[in-house]
Amino acid sequence: EFVDVFQTKYNRLDILVNNAGLGSKHRQLTAKGAEMTFTTNHLGHFMLTRLLTDYLLKSGRSRVVNVASASSFQGNIHWDDLMLEKGYTMWKAYSQSKLANVIFANEFNRRFESKGVKSVSLHPGVVRTEIWRSALKRTIPAILATIFYPLILLFTKSSEQGAQTALQCALMDHDKLEGGAYYSDCVPVKMNPDGKSEEYGKRLWNKSLELIEMKDINY
């Protein structure tokens, strides 16, 4: 629906920021039977970006900014169980989806940087947003959050502070943006080595196309 509306209003796209995020205590499924965290955090971004790729290419020097997380360092892509039917935990699902963000950013950049479209991923920091609402509905985490609230304020970021790295990646000069890089605190930093893997990039790309029932497009 978003793409349909976009197409009626615009003929180019300079900046796309993929920022939807979900962390769910319980395993949930979409109407089509896909695991909700992976769908929200990766497949939705993948599909939206693919549907808007033509508009990014029309803009010449455009970019895709993927909001990932430091949890990507603990993440693994469970190729034989992407939907986590076996042994689901919130952390397992979330870290897998965030590693997928990093892998996708690199693979998209490999395919399109030569055509003028750069793609990066980033860690915004530990930000006080609604993404924590599921965990805070549990009694013990809610009590601990109340007790340690001053420390939480000290070691976490506000939404405004958490947006700074995404803004930096979205607004810095195109020539200075390091395509395929992983940013934190507004500068490129090391990423999970799996994020750079061309094998994983191609594999995730093809699997994502399969899951959203789309065909690849050759540019």
Side-chain angles (χ1 to χ4, degrees), residues 62-106:
S62 57
R63 68 193 75 188
V64 182
V65 179
N66 299 280
V67 179
S69 165
S71 65
S72 61
F73 285 93
Q74 285 76 48
N76 291 289
I77 304 298
H78 302 276
W79 296 110
D80 297 327
D81 187 25
L82 273 178
M83 299 299 109
L84 301 182
E85 297 179 52
K86 305 168 187 175
Y88 175 93
T89 66
M90 182 171 71
W91 182 254
K92 184 178 179 180
Y94 187 75
S95 59
Q96 172 179 251
S97 70
K98 290 292 140 180
L99 176 56
N101 292 155
V102 179
I103 295 172
F104 168 55
N106 274 271

Side-chain angles (χ1 to χ4, degrees), residues 1 11 35 84 113-114 135 141 146 202:
E1 290 176 357
N11 60 12
E35 193 275 312
L84 301 182
E113 183 173 16
S114 63
T146 301
K202 293 175 182 177

